[in-house]
Amino acid sequence: VQLQASGGGLVQAGGSLRLSCKASGRIFSSFSMGWFRQAPGKEREFVAAISRSDSRIVHADTVKDRFAISRDNARNTVFLQMNALKPEDTAVYYCAVQFGSPRAMMTMTPSSGSWGQGTQVTVSS
């Protein structure tokens, strides 16, 4: 599976961005797709994930009231709507896909599943 993320950019605190990630290749109904982020000097952390088959969703506690993940199976695309952005949301955002549940993606490692190239999100104060 190949993943192409887009939609990052520079935004002021309180603003919004919408990230997109299009998947190509062999897409299975048992996949979940998700978003992770990595800030400079920090480990990659889980943001949100959604199942392909039944729309089960998991968001990290740090973003669940501000970010929303969604998907369009017809276009093999997952979205991350980010509202009320804060400077601490600044990071490279990666999309990922793997077999299994969205909750299982919370412990996904960089060596498992498939990953996109990342898109930079910068939130200025």
Side-chain angles (χ1 to χ4, degrees), residues 84-102:
L85 283 160
K86 305 175 181 179
E88 51 263 44
D89 294 318
T90 295
V92 177
Y93 283 71
Y94 298 91
C95 61
V97 62
Q98 73 168 12
F99 284 107
S101 70

Side-chain angles (χ1 to χ4, degrees), residues 3 7 21-22 25 30 35 39 50 59-60 68-69 74 77 79 82 84 89 92 98 107 110 113 117 125:
L3 301 171
C21 178
K22 182 172 177 58
S30 56
W35 292 94
I50 185 169
H59 290 93
I69 191 171
T77 300
F79 305 97
M82 304 186 295
D89 294 318
V92 177
Q98 73 168 12
T107 56
Q117 86 286 5
S125 58

